Amino acid sequence: LDYHARTTGQGAMLEYLLIDGINDKPDDADALVQFCTNRAMASTTTTTSSSPATADGNANKKPFVNLIPYNPTLAGGNFGYQTPSDERVEAFHHRLRTNGVHSLVRWTSASGRDANGACGQLAL
């Protein structure tokens, strides 16, 4: 990730699957913020002439995070995985954004879940 940011001038895109009670707590959001911040800091050791200018010089190199609420599957059910509440997803998203991490929640339609082709579905 650091190499990508240094050589392209852009941060990576990360996919973060939110599973209720597993990795959707405020401490988990804080750890993700720290991970993203560390990636932005590490990417500034070398800059490229094609790097887009930003006010702080690092914002474009911090990873972008797609938050994906877990969507139920038989495989995940075998491990007791559950979908976090909308409120918990929004709180996690808010915590990332207030700490400078650009992110988006990838909500899935019911038709995607029915076809077992939704974002956040685990298969074995």
Side-chain angles (χ1 to χ4, degrees):
L1 295 175
D2 300 338
Y3 175 79
H4 169 79
R6 281 193 307 271
T7 58
T8 67
Q10 298 294 313
M13 180 184 295
L14 305 178
E15 307 293 324
Y16 189 91
L17 180 65
L18 287 166
I19 303 174
D20 186 51
I22 303 292
N23 66 345
D24 63 341
K25 298 175 281 310
D27 287 348
D28 299 316
D30 293 342
L32 185 55
V33 166
Q34 189 61 53
F35 177 82
C36 292
T37 300
N38 290 347
R39 300 291 58 76
M41 291 170 60
S43 70
T44 60
T45 57
T46 306
T47 57
T48 64
S49 59
S50 62
S51 298
T54 60
D56 69 3
N58 295 336
N60 62 318
K61 296 180 184 178
K62 190 177 284 188
F64 178 88
V65 178
N66 274 325
L67 293 175
I68 305 171
Y70 168 73
N71 282 301
T73 62
L74 181 58
N78 290 337
F79 293 97
Y81 293 160
Q82 301 276 329
T83 304
S85 68
D86 290 355
E87 294 78 18
R88 188 163 244 175
V89 171
E90 289 299 339
F92 195 99
H93 184 219
H94 178 72
R95 197 167 187 107
L96 293 184
R97 295 191 67 192
T98 2
N99 286 286
V101 175
H102 298 286
S103 57
L104 177 70
V105 178
R106 305 288 299 195
W107 299 106
T108 301
S109 68
S111 60
R113 284 189 296 264
D114 292 346
N116 287 326
C119 287
Q121 286 193 313
L122 301 174
L124 296 179

